[in-house]
Amino acid sequence: MTVPATAPDSGAAEQSAAPGGALSQLIQQALDKGDSYQRLADRALDPETGETVSKPYLQRIVKNPPANPPTVPMMRAIAAALGKPFRRVQEATAEQWLMYKATELAGYDEEVRIIVTHLAVKSKAELMKWRYMIEAEERAQREADE
């Protein structure tokens, strides 16, 4: 890591790696780019509720994550602090606390996302069954249109 030319402020981050959680890593990345816990906390304001996140809470997320994930207003505040979209912070929170890795299905509506999520946990045999049903329906539709 490159050391800044000027002395960091008293709230600058220690340069230890985050314990591995996705939200911990997002915060650590901001610290690695020269932000401090205090500057993050100063920006950590949920625009909807006015809830804030403190410097000690941000430090705990990185160094010794609490047992419970942040609330939705806290996630919005963290997103504001990091300058990241709420959805990114929400996904990182889900990954760190629920071991759930979100995947993006851009351009599809909620129904398609629900179907894909449902199929993601199926066995290979069940997936083949669903694929054959979908392909059969498409063939029947094409034949009806001819």
Side-chain angles (χ1 to χ4, degrees):
M1 184 178 120
T2 306
V3 177
T6 58
D9 68 54
S10 60
E14 294 176 22
Q15 300 306 320
S16 61
L23 185 58
S24 299
Q25 290 173 1
L26 275 182
I27 295 169
Q28 185 64 51
Q29 287 168 3
L31 298 170
D32 290 345
K33 290 179 182 173
D35 240 324
S36 70
Y37 286 114
Q38 187 58 57
R39 285 194 300 265
L40 291 173
D42 291 345
R43 294 192 305 258
L45 173 70
D46 174 15
E48 293 183 28
T49 66
E51 186 167 337
T52 62
V53 174
S54 69
K55 173 184 168 182
Y57 184 77
L58 292 168
Q59 289 171 320
R60 262 195 348 260
I61 289 176
V62 173
K63 296 178 186 300
N64 186 20
N68 294 319
T71 64
V72 170
M74 292 168 84
M75 286 189 284
R76 285 193 295 256
I78 293 168
L82 297 174
K84 303 268 184 204
F86 169 72
R87 182 173 177 121
R88 178 67 189 104
V89 171
Q90 186 180 41
E91 290 170 351
T93 300
E95 185 175 340
Q96 181 162 335
W97 274 270
L98 303 174
M99 282 33 104
Y100 174 79
K101 180 102 171 152
T103 56
E104 181 63 34
L105 292 173
Y108 296 100
D109 65 12
E110 188 64 19
E111 293 300 317
V112 171
R113 285 193 285 274
I114 289 169
I115 292 167
V116 170
T117 301
H118 176 74
L119 293 176
V121 297
K122 298 288 185 191
S123 69
K124 185 167 179 134
E126 290 172 311
L127 284 175
M128 292 302 293
K129 179 177 124 181
W130 280 94
R131 179 179 177 173
Y132 293 146
M133 287 189 304
I134 291 166
E135 290 172 347
E137 188 277 333
E138 289 174 342
R139 267 193 312 276
Q141 186 64 45
R142 278 194 309 272
E143 289 172 6
D145 290 344
E146 290 178 357

